[in-house]
mmCIF file of all heavy atoms in Angstrom:
data_model
loop_
_atom_site.group_PDB
_atom_site.id
_atom_site.type_symbol
_atom_site.label_atom_id
_atom_site.label_comp_id
_atom_site.label_asym_id
_atom_site.label_seq_id
_atom_site.Cartn_x
_atom_site.Cartn_y
_atom_site.Cartn_z
ATOM 1 N N SER A 34 -16.653 -30.872 20.363
ATOM 2 C CA SER A 34 -15.455 -31.523 19.817
ATOM 3 C C SER A 34 -14.698 -30.556 18.904
ATOM 4 O O SER A 34 -15.279 -29.570 18.408
ATOM 5 C CB SER A 34 -15.867 -32.750 19.005
ATOM 6 O OG SER A 34 -16.552 -32.330 17.851
ATOM 7 N N PRO A 35 -13.427 -30.850 18.619
ATOM 8 C CA PRO A 35 -12.686 -30.012 17.656
ATOM 9 C C PRO A 35 -13.393 -29.935 16.311
ATOM 10 O O PRO A 35 -13.425 -28.885 15.669
ATOM 11 C CB PRO A 35 -11.330 -30.726 17.540
ATOM 12 C CG PRO A 35 -11.177 -31.474 18.813
ATOM 13 C CD PRO A 35 -12.562 -31.882 19.215
ATOM 14 N N GLU A 36 -13.990 -31.074 15.873
ATOM 15 C CA GLU A 36 -14.709 -31.076 14.595
ATOM 16 C C GLU A 36 -15.893 -30.110 14.632
ATOM 17 O O GLU A 36 -16.125 -29.352 13.683
ATOM 18 C CB GLU A 36 -15.219 -32.502 14.269
ATOM 19 C CG GLU A 36 -14.140 -33.462 13.801
ATOM 20 C CD GLU A 36 -13.399 -34.155 14.953
ATOM 21 O OE1 GLU A 36 -13.551 -33.704 16.113
ATOM 22 O OE2 GLU A 36 -12.661 -35.121 14.697
ATOM 23 N N GLU A 37 -16.640 -30.139 15.732
ATOM 24 C CA GLU A 37 -17.787 -29.224 15.848
ATOM 25 C C GLU A 37 -17.317 -27.774 15.869
ATOM 26 O O GLU A 37 -17.949 -26.897 15.277
ATOM 27 C CB GLU A 37 -18.571 -29.528 17.134
ATOM 28 C CG GLU A 37 -19.388 -30.806 17.055
ATOM 29 C CD GLU A 37 -20.012 -31.184 18.393
ATOM 30 O OE1 GLU A 37 -19.385 -30.908 19.457
ATOM 31 O OE2 GLU A 37 -21.107 -31.741 18.380
ATOM 32 N N ILE A 38 -16.209 -27.544 16.548
ATOM 33 C CA ILE A 38 -15.703 -26.159 16.644
ATOM 34 C C ILE A 38 -15.343 -25.632 15.260
ATOM 35 O O ILE A 38 -15.666 -24.496 14.911
ATOM 36 C CB ILE A 38 -14.487 -26.106 17.589
ATOM 37 C CG1 ILE A 38 -14.951 -26.536 18.960
ATOM 38 C CG2 ILE A 38 -13.814 -24.729 17.539
ATOM 39 C CD1 ILE A 38 -14.514 -25.781 20.125
ATOM 40 N N ILE A 39 -14.689 -26.474 14.468
ATOM 41 C CA ILE A 39 -14.310 -26.015 13.128
ATOM 42 C C ILE A 39 -15.531 -25.875 12.226
ATOM 43 O O ILE A 39 -15.760 -24.812 11.632
ATOM 44 C CB ILE A 39 -13.288 -26.997 12.481
ATOM 45 C CG1 ILE A 39 -11.938 -26.882 13.185
ATOM 46 C CG2 ILE A 39 -13.118 -26.719 10.984
ATOM 47 C CD1 ILE A 39 -11.247 -25.538 13.040
ATOM 48 N N PHE A 40 -16.343 -26.958 12.127
ATOM 49 C CA PHE A 40 -17.413 -26.967 11.120
ATOM 50 C C PHE A 40 -18.661 -26.196 11.540
ATOM 51 O O PHE A 40 -19.412 -25.721 10.698
ATOM 52 C CB PHE A 40 -17.766 -28.410 10.736
ATOM 53 C CG PHE A 40 -16.652 -29.081 9.977
ATOM 54 C CD1 PHE A 40 -15.926 -30.116 10.551
ATOM 55 C CD2 PHE A 40 -16.321 -28.650 8.698
ATOM 56 C CE1 PHE A 40 -14.881 -30.719 9.865
ATOM 57 C CE2 PHE A 40 -15.275 -29.251 8.001
ATOM 58 C CZ PHE A 40 -14.555 -30.283 8.589
ATOM 59 N N GLN A 41 -18.887 -26.074 12.839
ATOM 60 C CA GLN A 41 -20.120 -25.396 13.265
ATOM 61 C C GLN A 41 -19.861 -24.010 13.850
ATOM 62 O O GLN A 41 -20.792 -23.242 14.056
ATOM 63 C CB GLN A 41 -20.867 -26.273 14.276
ATOM 64 C CG GLN A 41 -21.377 -27.551 13.621
ATOM 65 C CD GLN A 41 -22.114 -28.445 14.601
ATOM 66 O OE1 GLN A 41 -22.985 -28.005 15.329
ATOM 67 N NE2 GLN A 41 -21.743 -29.716 14.636
ATOM 68 N N LEU A 42 -18.585 -23.724 14.155
ATOM 69 C CA LEU A 42 -18.294 -22.403 14.711
ATOM 70 C C LEU A 42 -17.373 -21.596 13.788
ATOM 71 O O LEU A 42 -17.775 -20.569 13.250
ATOM 72 C CB LEU A 42 -17.676 -22.550 16.101
ATOM 73 C CG LEU A 42 -17.673 -21.337 17.032
ATOM 74 C CD1 LEU A 42 -17.255 -21.720 18.438
ATOM 75 C CD2 LEU A 42 -16.906 -20.146 16.579
ATOM 76 N N VAL A 43 -16.164 -22.101 13.578
ATOM 77 C CA VAL A 43 -15.159 -21.273 12.892
ATOM 78 C C VAL A 43 -15.514 -21.063 11.416
ATOM 79 O O VAL A 43 -15.490 -19.922 10.929
ATOM 80 C CB VAL A 43 -13.741 -21.885 13.049
ATOM 81 C CG1 VAL A 43 -12.719 -21.033 12.295
ATOM 82 C CG2 VAL A 43 -13.358 -21.951 14.516
ATOM 83 N N ILE A 44 -15.852 -22.139 10.699
ATOM 84 C CA ILE A 44 -16.151 -21.963 9.270
ATOM 85 C C ILE A 44 -17.385 -21.075 9.062
ATOM 86 O O ILE A 44 -17.314 -20.107 8.291
ATOM 87 C CB ILE A 44 -16.281 -23.329 8.549
ATOM 88 C CG1 ILE A 44 -14.892 -23.977 8.476
ATOM 89 C CG2 ILE A 44 -16.876 -23.162 7.144
ATOM 90 C CD1 ILE A 44 -14.843 -25.336 7.810
ATOM 91 N N PRO A 45 -18.498 -21.325 9.765
ATOM 92 C CA PRO A 45 -19.626 -20.381 9.599
ATOM 93 C C PRO A 45 -19.249 -18.947 9.996
ATOM 94 O O PRO A 45 -19.698 -17.996 9.357
ATOM 95 C CB PRO A 45 -20.696 -20.939 10.554
ATOM 96 C CG PRO A 45 -20.353 -22.375 10.709
ATOM 97 C CD PRO A 45 -18.863 -22.468 10.623
ATOM 98 N N ALA A 46 -18.406 -18.821 11.021
ATOM 99 C CA ALA A 46 -17.999 -17.473 11.446
ATOM 100 C C ALA A 46 -17.179 -16.788 10.363
ATOM 101 O O ALA A 46 -17.394 -15.613 10.059
ATOM 102 C CB ALA A 46 -17.199 -17.562 12.747
ATOM 103 N N VAL A 47 -16.242 -17.532 9.758
ATOM 104 C CA VAL A 47 -15.409 -16.939 8.702
ATOM 105 C C VAL A 47 -16.286 -16.609 7.483
ATOM 106 O O VAL A 47 -16.134 -15.551 6.868
ATOM 107 C CB VAL A 47 -14.239 -17.880 8.323
ATOM 108 C CG1 VAL A 47 -13.513 -17.381 7.075
ATOM 109 C CG2 VAL A 47 -13.256 -17.982 9.484
ATOM 110 N N GLU A 48 -17.235 -17.506 7.158
ATOM 111 C CA GLU A 48 -18.136 -17.225 6.021
ATOM 112 C C GLU A 48 -18.938 -15.947 6.278
ATOM 113 O O GLU A 48 -19.094 -15.103 5.392
ATOM 114 C CB GLU A 48 -19.083 -18.408 5.785
ATOM 115 C CG GLU A 48 -18.408 -19.534 5.023
ATOM 116 C CD GLU A 48 -19.277 -20.779 4.905
ATOM 117 O OE1 GLU A 48 -20.224 -20.935 5.720
ATOM 118 O OE2 GLU A 48 -18.996 -21.609 4.020
#
Side-chain angles (χ1 to χ4, degrees):
Chain A
S34 68
E36 285 85 347
E37 286 173 327
I38 298 224
I39 289 295
F40 292 111
Q41 294 180 49
L42 198 170
V43 178
I44 290 179
V47 170
E48 280 174 339

